[in-house]
Amino acid sequence: MTKPLLEVKNLCVDYDIRNEHALPWKSPQTLQAVKEVSFTLGAGETLGIVGESGSGKSTLARAIVQLEKATGSILWGGDTELIGLSRQQMLPFRSQIQFVFQDPFASLNPRLTVGQIIEEPLTVHQPQLSRTQRRERVRSMMHRVSLLPNQINRYPHEFSGGQCQRIGIARALIVEPRLLICDEPVSALDVSIQAQIINLLNSLQKEMGLAMLFIAHDLSVVKHISDRVMVMYLGKVMEMADCSVLYKQPSHPYTQALISAVPLPDPQQERSKKRILLLGDMPSPLSPPSGCVFRTRCQYATTECATRTPQLQSTGNSSEHSVSCHFPAVSLS
Amino acid sequence: MALLSVDQLNVRFDTSDGVVHAVRGLSFEVNASEVLAIVGESGSGKSQSAFAIMGLLASNGNATGSVQFKGDELLNKPTDYLNRIRATGIAMVFQDALAALNPYMRIADQMTEVLVYHFGLSQREALAQSIAMLDAVRIPDAKNRIRLFPHEFSGGMQQRVMIAMALLCKPALLIADEPTTALDVTVQAEIMDLLAEVRREMNMSMILITHDLGVVAGYSDTVMVLYAGQVVESAPVQTLFDSPGHPYTIGLLNSILRLDTEDNALYAIPGTPPNLLLRQSGCPFVERCEFAIERCHSENPALNEYRLENVTRSRACHVEINS
């Protein structure tokens, strides 16, 4: 069996939070943003990560590229441990793992032209290239993301949101990474533009054999691009399954609620469907509930859920389907 | 008589780059207890038409046409005049609740202010009514939490506070401008259900401004699709989803990412919306339209009313489409 491209084991990210009114000798509180997350990602595969805001999806992505301090293990290419690497040691891996950010305007330097923005990663990661070689690469990359050649000397503010996102994608892909992490790449875009960007990512992935981590809060977006989906809540993995399995047979009450909350663009279906409502708000991550973190909003919760923490376990109907719940429902009727 | 009737509303902004025609020739009516959804991409003029109705345009904005609420003309009326209709007649819920609430005032002060101003209630009565309204929008422990500041609430709770505040004076019409866009799907479902429930109970009309066709499908009676400041199509909700009549609507419906289909090939409308600084002669959608004919480039189609299968609907397109 070939080694997976990325193997994450027991990844935890903790923040020390100091209350502003706390006395100086008090020790800070610990906020566990990501708790014991494990998954593997093969070459060319797409893993979708969904969850509400505050569920730790972005922190997880940032931890993988060492933008957050994490504990646990991140094995790259089956042999290199990324956690604990210095900035210098990390540099070669940065060209293999690239990032596309949510806000298309904020993630581009407003003082650089499009050409300079897309070229910059090359000057860092492939300094042996000459200026003309770099320009050539920039031009062909712009063509691949459907930007026009005459736009090379324009500035980001002259572009629409969708075009800025194309620039961001071109910048990420110019160093030919093996893994692309997309953090909510389409949530700031209009519906008609979202479809364009999703199609672009899908076709580039096929061409370049990219692996992708695709983070979104929108389940329908994730469905269209992912092979497997991981559902997170309060920093923990609630459920992980093949895309087709997860949407047909969601086993975790949280996944079921998420899926049932997505409005269907069909008046009859939308008005007749049964919706699973979540109780209350997401609890503060500073003091998560005991036992199962979801139990405060779960309609099936029992006393067992408060005392015993469920582990992520296989559901049995497929080895790829695992769920972290004491009472996983069989299917959503 | 319609509750609100808008006739030939035009909104333009004088900017340093030129004149932006944000809304062009918008006409529609909202009847009592009806929900009208206004759908469009960013820059299609959906929010600006709402702002024009409420008299909230930016200082470089200029509105012409007519907006009548229960027979009273509202457009370009002085603030004093509008303030009698705001909140009691038409109230508005904004997209970004945190930005719309005053960060320096406790919720209690912001809410009671409305009741004291419009109904001359005493502070004590106003507070009691405000707490009752927060209870009604299901804010737990409203009695104590009304003393908090806006930033101390979560996004969903802030939106509930906004809705409670808009409902305080029992308006006849609520304009909800992207009320759930900034929220998680689970919270969105709760807020939309809440709005639907209070709307039914208070027999209130609503203009629901959104870009989410799923929300439109679930919560509206009539849909108006805007593109580049113009109405391109308007129809009852079921009709619009069953047989869209304008190429833009067809494209929009095809490009939605859906949970209930297996097909992974996704249709995308090519291109981007036109620059509103440049006034084109033809149809605003012509550059992105796959049905476009010669005439579309030179002549902007008017919005025509027609009947199909006993449903009155209208669209602005030169081309016959059998969908």
Side-chain angles (χ1 to χ4, degrees):
Chain A
M1 199 183 114
T2 51
K3 286 177 187 163
L5 185 67
L6 181 73
E7 198 171 355
V8 173
K9 259 194 204 138
N10 285 326
L11 191 78
C12 297
V13 180
D14 296 346
Y15 295 110
D16 285 343
I17 304 281
R18 215 161 235 299
N19 191 328
E20 54 179 309
H21 305 297
L23 297 166
W25 52 83
K26 286 262 198 249
S27 56
Q29 281 180 288
T30 306
L31 187 155
Q32 289 190 295
V34 175
K35 278 178 251 179
E36 294 164 14
V37 171
S38 306
F39 64 89
T40 58
L41 184 69
E45 193 188 16
T46 304
L47 177 67
I49 304 178
V50 286
E52 294 174 271
S53 37
S55 58
K57 336 181 268 296
S58 294
T59 312
L60 171 66
R62 293 170 58 86
I64 290 169
V65 285
Q66 306 291 297
L67 287 172
E68 303 286 348
K69 244 183 113 180
T71 57
S73 150
I74 303 171
L75 214 55
W76 175 254
D79 48 11
T80 319
E81 174 60 50
L82 295 185
I83 286 185
L85 290 188
S86 68
R87 278 177 73 103
Q88 205 58 44
Q89 289 167 318
M90 187 64 199
L91 193 63
F93 300 103
R94 291 207 186 280
S95 70
Q96 296 184 32
I97 310 176
Q98 286 284 314
F99 226 99
V100 174
F101 299 92
Q102 172 171 13
D103 188 332
F105 296 104
S107 56
L108 302 177
N109 186 338
R111 287 165 183 264
L112 295 184
T113 64
V114 171
Q116 289 168 327
I117 289 170
I118 301 176
E119 186 180 343
E120 199 176 19
L122 281 182
T123 58
V124 176
H125 292 295
Q126 296 176 16
Q128 75 281 8
L129 292 180
S130 72
R131 206 184 126 77
T132 38
Q133 282 172 316
R134 285 204 306 266
R135 280 273 138 173
E136 200 35 60
R137 289 271 292 272
V138 169
R139 278 202 195 93
S140 77
M141 197 68 234
M142 283 179 70
H143 177 70
R144 284 170 93 166
V145 298
S146 308
L147 289 167
L148 300 173
N150 62 9
Q151 292 171 329
I152 195 165
N153 288 323
R154 300 223 189 135
Y155 288 90
H157 74 264
E158 298 176 64
F159 292 88
S160 65
Q163 284 172 313
C164 281
Q165 206 54 287
R166 288 173 195 271
I167 300 170
I169 292 169
R171 172 181 62 182
L173 295 185
I174 191 136
V175 288
E176 294 174 341
R178 295 171 66 194
L179 169 64
L180 186 67
I181 302 180
C182 302
D183 190 358
E184 303 260 15
V186 297
S187 57
L189 307 175
D190 277 313
V191 188
S192 72
I193 310 296
Q194 276 191 5
Q196 290 178 5
I197 297 293
I198 298 272
N199 284 344
L200 175 70
L201 283 171
N202 259 335
S203 67
L204 286 171
Q205 178 182 31
K206 279 198 198 93
E207 268 175 52
M208 305 177 69
L210 275 173
M212 273 207 278
L213 271 185
F214 193 93
I215 299 170
H217 66 272
D218 185 336
L219 280 105
S220 28
V221 172
V222 171
K223 179 170 188 266
H224 273 269
I225 203 156
S226 312
D227 301 315
R228 276 187 305 147
V229 180
M230 180 162 98
V231 181
M232 288 182 74
Y233 182 78
L234 272 183
K236 288 189 127 180
V237 178
M238 296 288 108
E239 186 166 4
M240 182 143 63
D242 274 353
C243 198
S244 52
V245 176
L246 187 95
Y247 287 93
K248 270 202 204 97
Q249 296 181 308
S251 296
H252 198 284
Y254 180 59
T255 317
Q256 294 175 356
L258 273 185
I259 291 176
S260 81
V262 178
L264 296 174
D266 181 314
Q268 267 170 8
Q269 278 182 42
E270 170 63 18
R271 282 164 212 226
S272 60
K273 82 172 179 193
K274 206 175 87 208
R275 187 173 286 148
I276 304 164
L277 283 180
L278 291 181
L279 318 165
D281 266 346
M282 195 186 257
S284 161
L286 273 172
S287 52
S290 64
C292 171
V293 286
F294 182 62
R295 70 174 166 87
T296 51
R297 301 175 75 188
C298 181
Q299 52 180 333
Y300 310 110
T302 64
T303 44
E304 190 190 357
C305 301
T307 49
R308 214 158 56 84
T309 310
Q311 301 298 318
L312 194 64
Q313 280 171 338
S314 167
T315 55
N317 56 9
S318 129
S319 60
E320 291 289 310
H321 190 178
S322 47
V323 59
S324 157
C325 181
H326 292 310
F327 311 105
V330 182
S331 75
L332 184 68
S333 51
Chain B
M1 187 181 64
L3 184 68
L4 180 83
S5 61
V6 174
D7 191 35
Q8 286 299 317
L9 178 70
N10 284 287
V11 178
R12 36 173 249 163
F13 292 92
D14 296 314
T15 69
S16 52
D17 296 331
V19 178
V20 175
H21 296 269
V23 180
R24 289 188 243 176
L26 183 67
S27 304
F28 65 88
E29 286 187 344
V30 183
N31 295 313
S33 72
E34 183 191 20
V35 183
L36 170 75
I38 303 184
V39 193
E41 297 179 75
S42 30
S44 61
K46 44 191 201 307
S47 292
Q48 292 311 330
S49 25
F51 288 164
I53 292 166
M54 293 293 276
L56 294 173
L57 285 180
S59 57
N60 63 341
N62 188 334
T64 56
S66 156
V67 174
Q68 291 197 339
F69 178 70
K70 290 182 179 167
D72 288 340
E73 179 60 44
L74 296 187
L75 207 61
N76 301 320
K77 282 283 155 55
T79 311
D80 284 350
Y81 183 85
L82 289 174
N83 275 350
R84 283 187 288 152
I85 288 157
R86 288 176 183 160
T88 52
I90 312 176
M92 193 156 171
V93 172
F94 298 90
Q95 174 174 1
D96 186 347
L98 186 59
L101 296 168
N102 187 334
Y104 293 118
M105 282 170 85
R106 292 176 195 278
I107 299 299
D109 298 333
Q110 304 193 37
M111 290 185 77
T112 53
E113 188 185 38
V114 180
L115 289 167
V116 172
Y117 179 93
H118 286 285
F119 296 150
L121 294 187
S122 72
Q123 199 64 34
R124 181 191 295 259
E125 281 172 282
L127 188 65
Q129 284 197 18
S130 304
I131 293 172
M133 195 54 87
L134 288 184
D135 270 332
V137 298
R138 291 186 218 105
I139 290 187
D141 194 20
K143 212 172 165 207
N144 293 312
R145 292 179 89 175
I146 197 168
R147 303 258 165 238
L148 298 180
F149 287 98
H151 73 267
E152 297 178 84
F153 288 85
S154 68
M157 286 293 156
Q158 287 163 1
Q159 200 54 272
R160 279 166 203 262
V161 171
M162 278 265 294
I163 291 170
M165 201 182 285
L167 297 178
L168 272 179
C169 298
K170 308 199 171 50
L173 171 67
L174 183 72
I175 301 181
D177 185 5
E178 307 256 12
T180 56
T181 306
L183 306 175
D184 282 315
V185 273
T186 50
V187 187
Q188 162 169 296
E190 284 172 38
I191 295 282
M192 287 314 299
D193 285 347
L194 173 72
L195 272 176
E197 187 187 317
V198 292
R199 203 192 60 71
R200 264 197 311 275
E201 277 173 19
M202 294 169 59
N203 211 10
M204 183 174 68
S205 306
M206 181 155 83
I207 297 180
L208 177 64
I209 298 173
T210 180
H211 66 266
D212 187 335
L213 287 158
V215 171
V216 171
Y219 301 94
S220 65
D221 303 322
T222 319
V223 190
M224 196 164 81
V225 184
L226 285 192
Y227 187 79
Q230 296 180 14
V231 181
V232 293
E233 183 167 12
S234 164
V237 62
Q238 188 69 53
T239 315
L240 187 98
F241 281 85
D242 286 347
S243 59
H246 191 279
Y248 177 60
T249 320
I250 296 171
L252 264 191
L253 286 172
N254 285 339
S255 62
I256 322 175
L257 300 146
R258 307 175 65 119
L259 271 188
D260 53 348
T261 52
E262 290 299 312
D263 193 8
N264 268 327
L266 184 61
Y267 175 80
I269 306 176
T272 49
N275 184 346
L276 294 177
L277 279 166
L278 314 167
R279 200 157 185 177
Q280 300 172 293
S281 52
C283 169
F285 189 60
V286 64
E287 298 296 336
R288 305 174 74 185
C289 183
E290 55 188 80
F291 300 95
I293 53 173
E294 197 72 35
R295 191 171 164 209
C296 302
H297 289 273
S298 55
E299 192 187 329
N300 193 351
L303 190 67
N304 281 324
E305 201 173 276
Y306 64 105
R307 277 182 80 78
L308 191 72
E309 288 160 6
N310 283 326
V311 181
T312 310
R313 49 194 293 184
S314 48
R315 63 178 204 129
C317 186
H318 291 309
V319 187
E320 280 298 324
I321 291 159
N322 303 310
S323 58

Coordinates of all heavy atoms in Angstrom, one line a residue, chain A residues 248-300:
Chain A
K248 N -26.0 10.5 2.7 CA -27.1 9.6 2.6 C -27.5 9.0 4.0 O -28.6 8.9 4.3 CB -26.8 8.4 1.7 CG -27.2 8.7 0.3 CD -27.4 7.4 -0.5 CE -27.3 7.7 -2.0 NZ -25.9 7.4 -2.5
Q249 N -26.4 8.7 4.7 CA -26.7 8.1 6.1 C -25.9 8.8 7.1 O -25.0 8.2 7.7 CB -26.2 6.6 6.0 CG -27.0 5.8 5.1 CD -26.5 4.3 5.1 OE1 -25.3 4.1 5.0 NE2 -27.4 3.4 5.4
P250 N -26.2 10.0 7.4 CA -25.5 10.7 8.5 C -25.8 10.0 9.8 O -27.0 9.8 10.1 CB -26.0 12.1 8.5 CG -27.3 12.0 7.8 CD -27.3 10.8 6.9
S251 N -24.8 9.7 10.6 CA -25.1 8.9 11.8 C -25.0 9.7 13.1 O -25.6 9.3 14.1 CB -24.0 7.8 12.0 OG -24.2 6.9 10.9
H252 N -24.3 10.8 13.0 CA -24.2 11.6 14.2 C -25.3 12.7 14.3 O -25.7 13.2 13.2 CB -22.9 12.4 14.2 CG -22.5 12.9 15.6 ND1 -23.1 14.0 16.1 CD2 -21.6 12.4 16.5 CE1 -22.6 14.2 17.4 NE2 -21.7 13.3 17.6
P253 N -26.0 12.8 15.4 CA -27.1 13.8 15.5 C -26.7 15.2 15.0 O -27.5 15.9 14.4 CB -27.4 13.8 17.0 CG -26.9 12.6 17.6 CD -25.7 12.2 16.7
Y254 N -25.4 15.6 15.2 CA -25.0 16.9 14.8 C -24.9 17.0 13.2 O -25.4 17.9 12.7 CB -23.6 17.2 15.4 CG -23.1 18.6 15.0 CD1 -23.8 19.7 15.3 CD2 -21.9 18.7 14.3 CE1 -23.3 21.0 14.9 CE2 -21.4 19.9 13.9 CZ -22.1 21.1 14.2 OH -21.7 22.3 13.9
T255 N -24.4 15.9 12.6 CA -24.4 15.9 11.1 C -25.8 16.0 10.6 O -26.1 16.7 9.6 CB -23.7 14.6 10.7 OG1 -22.6 14.4 11.4 CG2 -23.3 14.7 9.2
Q256 N -26.7 15.2 11.2 CA -28.1 15.2 10.8 C -28.7 16.6 10.9 O -29.4 17.0 10.0 CB -28.9 14.2 11.6 CG -28.5 12.8 11.4 CD -29.2 11.8 12.4 OE1 -30.0 12.3 13.2 NE2 -29.0 10.6 12.2
A257 N -28.4 17.3 12.0 CA -29.0 18.6 12.2 C -28.4 19.6 11.1 O -29.1 20.4 10.5 CB -28.7 19.1 13.6
L258 N -27.1 19.5 10.9 CA -26.5 20.3 9.9 C -27.1 20.1 8.5 O -27.4 21.1 7.8 CB -25.0 20.0 9.8 CG -24.0 20.7 10.7 CD1 -22.6 20.3 10.3 CD2 -24.1 22.2 10.7
I259 N -27.3 18.9 8.1 CA -27.8 18.6 6.8 C -29.2 19.1 6.7 O -29.6 19.6 5.7 CB -27.7 17.1 6.5 CG1 -26.2 16.7 6.3 CG2 -28.5 16.7 5.3 CD1 -25.9 15.3 6.1
S260 N -30.0 18.8 7.8 CA -31.4 19.2 7.7 C -31.6 20.7 7.7 O -32.6 21.2 7.3 CB -32.2 18.6 8.8 OG -32.1 19.3 10.0
A261 N -30.6 21.5 8.1 CA -30.7 22.9 8.2 C -30.4 23.6 6.9 O -30.8 24.8 6.7 CB -29.7 23.5 9.3
V262 N -29.8 22.9 5.9 CA -29.5 23.5 4.7 C -30.8 23.7 3.9 O -31.5 22.7 3.6 CB -28.5 22.6 3.8 CG1 -28.3 23.2 2.5 CG2 -27.3 22.4 4.6
P263 N -31.1 24.9 3.5 CA -32.4 25.1 2.8 C -32.3 24.6 1.4 O -31.3 24.8 0.7 CB -32.5 26.7 2.7 CG -31.2 27.2 3.0 CD -30.4 26.2 3.8
L264 N -33.3 23.9 0.9 CA -33.3 23.3 -0.4 C -34.0 24.3 -1.4 O -35.0 24.8 -1.1 CB -34.2 22.0 -0.4 CG -33.6 20.8 0.4 CD1 -34.6 19.7 0.4 CD2 -32.3 20.4 -0.1
P265 N -33.3 24.5 -2.5 CA -33.9 25.4 -3.5 C -35.1 24.8 -4.2 O -35.1 24.7 -5.4 CB -32.7 25.7 -4.4 CG -31.8 24.6 -4.3 CD -32.1 23.9 -3.0
D266 N -36.1 24.4 -3.5 CA -37.3 23.8 -4.1 C -38.5 24.1 -3.1 O -38.5 23.6 -2.0 CB -37.1 22.3 -4.4 CG -38.4 21.7 -5.0 OD1 -39.5 22.0 -4.6 OD2 -38.2 20.9 -5.9
P267 N -39.4 25.0 -3.5 CA -40.4 25.4 -2.5 C -41.2 24.2 -1.9 O -41.4 24.2 -0.7 CB -41.4 26.2 -3.4 CG -40.5 26.7 -4.5 CD -39.6 25.6 -4.8
Q268 N -41.6 23.2 -2.7 CA -42.3 22.1 -2.1 C -41.5 21.3 -1.1 O -42.0 21.1 0.0 CB -42.9 21.2 -3.2 CG -44.3 21.6 -3.6 CD -44.7 20.9 -4.9 OE1 -44.1 20.0 -5.3 NE2 -45.8 21.3 -5.4
Q269 N -40.4 20.9 -1.5 CA -39.5 20.1 -0.7 C -39.1 20.8 0.6 O -39.2 20.3 1.7 CB -38.2 19.7 -1.4 CG -38.4 18.5 -2.3 CD -37.0 18.2 -2.9 OE1 -36.0 18.2 -2.2 NE2 -37.0 17.9 -4.2
E270 N -38.8 22.1 0.4 CA -38.3 22.9 1.5 C -39.3 23.1 2.6 O -39.1 23.0 3.8 CB -37.8 24.3 1.0 CG -37.4 25.3 2.1 CD -36.3 24.9 3.0 OE1 -35.5 24.0 2.6 OE2 -36.2 25.5 4.1
R271 N -40.6 23.2 2.1 CA -41.7 23.5 3.1 C -42.1 22.2 3.8 O -42.8 22.2 4.8 CB -42.8 24.2 2.5 CG -42.5 25.7 2.3 CD -43.4 26.4 1.3 NE -42.6 27.4 0.7 CZ -43.1 28.7 0.5 NH1 -44.3 29.0 0.9 NH2 -42.3 29.6 -0.1
S272 N -41.9 21.0 3.1 CA -42.5 19.8 3.7 C -41.4 19.0 4.5 O -41.8 18.1 5.2 CB -43.0 18.9 2.6 OG -42.0 18.6 1.7
K273 N -40.2 19.4 4.3 CA -39.1 18.5 5.0 C -39.1 18.7 6.5 O -39.5 19.7 7.0 CB -37.8 18.8 4.4 CG -37.1 20.0 5.0 CD -35.7 20.2 4.5 CE -35.1 21.4 5.1 NZ -33.9 21.8 4.6
K274 N -38.7 17.7 7.2 CA -38.6 17.7 8.6 C -37.2 18.3 9.0 O -36.2 17.9 8.4 CB -38.7 16.3 9.1 CG -39.2 16.2 10.6 CD -39.4 14.8 11.0 CE -38.1 14.2 11.5 NZ -37.9 12.8 11.4
R275 N -37.2 19.2 9.9 CA -36.0 19.8 10.3 C -35.6 19.4 11.7 O -36.5 19.4 12.6 CB -36.1 21.3 10.2 CG -34.8 22.0 10.4 CD -34.9 23.5 10.2 NE -35.0 23.8 8.7 CZ -35.7 24.8 8.2 NH1 -36.4 25.6 9.0 NH2 -35.7 25.0 6.9
I276 N -34.4 19.1 11.9 CA -33.9 18.8 13.3 C -33.3 20.0 13.9 O -32.3 20.6 13.3 CB -32.8 17.7 13.2 CG1 -33.3 16.5 12.5 CG2 -32.3 17.3 14.6 CD1 -32.3 15.5 12.1
L277 N -33.9 20.5 14.9 CA -33.4 21.8 15.5 C -32.4 21.5 16.6 O -32.6 20.5 17.3 CB -34.6 22.6 16.0 CG -35.4 23.3 15.0 CD1 -36.5 24.1 15.6 CD2 -34.5 24.3 14.2
L278 N -31.4 22.3 16.6 CA -30.4 22.2 17.7 C -30.9 23.0 18.9 O -31.5 24.1 18.7 CB -29.1 22.7 17.3 CG -28.4 21.8 16.2 CD1 -27.0 22.5 15.9 CD2 -28.2 20.4 16.7
L279 N -30.7 22.5 20.1 CA -31.1 23.3 21.2 C -30.0 24.3 21.6 O -28.9 23.9 21.7 CB -31.3 22.3 22.4 CG -32.0 21.0 22.1 CD1 -31.9 20.0 23.2 CD2 -33.5 21.3 21.8
G280 N -30.4 25.5 21.8 CA -29.5 26.5 22.3 C -28.3 26.9 21.5 O -28.3 26.6 20.3
D281 N -27.3 27.5 22.1 CA -26.1 27.9 21.4 C -25.0 27.0 21.6 O -25.0 26.2 22.5 CB -25.8 29.3 21.9 CG -26.4 30.4 21.1 OD1 -26.8 30.1 20.0 OD2 -26.4 31.6 21.5
M282 N -23.9 27.2 20.8 CA -22.7 26.4 21.0 C -22.1 26.9 22.4 O -22.0 28.1 22.6 CB -21.7 26.8 19.9 CG -20.6 25.8 19.8 SD -19.4 26.3 18.6 CE -19.8 25.3 17.2
P283 N -21.7 25.9 23.2 CA -21.2 26.3 24.5 C -19.8 27.0 24.4 O -19.2 26.8 23.3 CB -21.1 25.0 25.3 CG -21.2 23.9 24.3 CD -21.8 24.5 23.1
S284 N -19.4 27.7 25.4 CA -18.1 28.3 25.3 C -17.0 27.3 25.3 O -17.0 26.4 26.0 CB -17.9 29.2 26.6 OG -16.5 29.5 26.7
P285 N -16.0 27.5 24.3 CA -15.0 26.5 24.2 C -14.0 26.5 25.4 O -13.2 25.6 25.6 CB -14.2 26.9 23.0 CG -14.7 28.3 22.7 CD -16.0 28.5 23.3
L286 N -14.2 27.5 26.3 CA -13.3 27.6 27.5 C -13.8 26.6 28.5 O -13.0 26.1 29.3 CB -13.4 29.0 28.1 CG -12.4 30.0 27.5 CD1 -12.7 31.4 28.1 CD2 -11.0 29.6 27.9
S287 N -15.1 26.3 28.5 CA -15.6 25.3 29.5 C -16.5 24.4 28.7 O -17.8 24.5 28.8 CB -16.4 26.0 30.6 OG -17.3 26.9 30.1
P288 N -15.9 23.5 27.9 CA -16.8 22.5 27.1 C -17.5 21.6 28.1 O -17.1 21.3 29.2 CB -15.8 21.8 26.3 CG -14.5 22.0 26.9 CD -14.5 23.3 27.7
P289 N -18.7 21.1 27.6 CA -19.4 20.1 28.4 C -18.6 18.9 28.7 O -17.7 18.5 27.9 CB -20.6 19.8 27.5 CG -20.7 20.8 26.5 CD -19.3 21.3 26.3
S290 N -18.9 18.2 29.8 CA -18.3 17.0 30.2 C -18.8 15.9 29.2 O -19.8 16.1 28.6 CB -18.6 16.6 31.6 OG -20.0 16.4 31.7
G291 N -18.1 14.8 29.1 CA -18.5 13.7 28.3 C -18.5 14.1 26.8 O -17.5 14.6 26.3
C292 N -19.6 13.9 26.2 CA -19.8 14.3 24.8 C -19.9 15.8 24.7 O -20.8 16.4 25.3 CB -21.0 13.6 24.1 SG -21.4 14.1 22.5
V293 N -19.1 16.5 23.8 CA -19.2 17.9 23.8 C -20.5 18.4 23.2 O -20.9 19.5 23.4 CB -18.0 18.6 23.0 CG1 -16.8 18.5 23.8 CG2 -17.9 17.9 21.6
F294 N -21.2 17.5 22.4 CA -22.4 17.9 21.7 C -23.6 17.8 22.6 O -24.7 18.2 22.2 CB -22.5 17.1 20.4 CG -23.7 17.5 19.6 CD1 -23.8 18.8 19.1 CD2 -24.7 16.6 19.3 CE1 -24.9 19.2 18.3 CE2 -25.8 17.0 18.5 CZ -25.9 18.3 18.1
R295 N -23.5 17.1 23.8 CA -24.7 16.7 24.5 C -25.6 17.8 24.9 O -26.9 17.6 25.0 CB -24.3 15.9 25.7 CG -23.7 16.7 26.8 CD -23.5 15.9 28.1 NE -22.6 16.6 29.0 CZ -23.0 17.5 29.8 NH1 -24.3 17.8 29.9 NH2 -22.2 18.1 30.6
T296 N -25.1 19.0 25.1 CA -26.0 20.1 25.5 C -27.0 20.5 24.4 O -28.0 21.2 24.7 CB -25.2 21.4 25.9 OG1 -24.3 21.7 24.9 CG2 -24.4 21.1 27.2
R297 N -26.7 20.2 23.2 CA -27.6 20.6 22.1 C -28.3 19.4 21.5 O -28.9 19.5 20.5 CB -26.9 21.4 21.1 CG -26.2 22.6 21.7 CD -25.4 23.4 20.7 NE -26.2 24.1 19.7 CZ -25.7 24.7 18.6 NH1 -24.4 24.6 18.4 NH2 -26.5 25.3 17.8
C298 N -28.0 18.2 22.0 CA -28.5 17.0 21.4 C -29.8 16.5 21.9 O -30.0 16.5 23.2 CB -27.4 15.9 21.6 SG -27.9 14.3 20.8
Q299 N -30.8 16.2 21.1 CA -32.1 15.8 21.6 C -32.1 14.4 22.1 O -33.0 14.0 22.8 CB -33.1 16.0 20.5 CG -32.8 15.4 19.2 CD -33.9 15.6 18.2 OE1 -35.1 15.8 18.5 NE2 -33.5 15.6 16.9
Y300 N -31.1 13.6 21.8 CA -31.1 12.2 22.2 C -30.2 12.0 23.5 O -30.0 10.9 23.9 CB -30.5 11.3 21.1 CG -31.2 11.5 19.8 CD1 -30.5 12.0 18.7 CD2 -32.5 11.1 19.6 CE1 -31.1 12.2 17.5 CE2 -33.1 11.3 18.4 CZ -32.4 11.8 17.3 OH -33.0 12.0 16.1

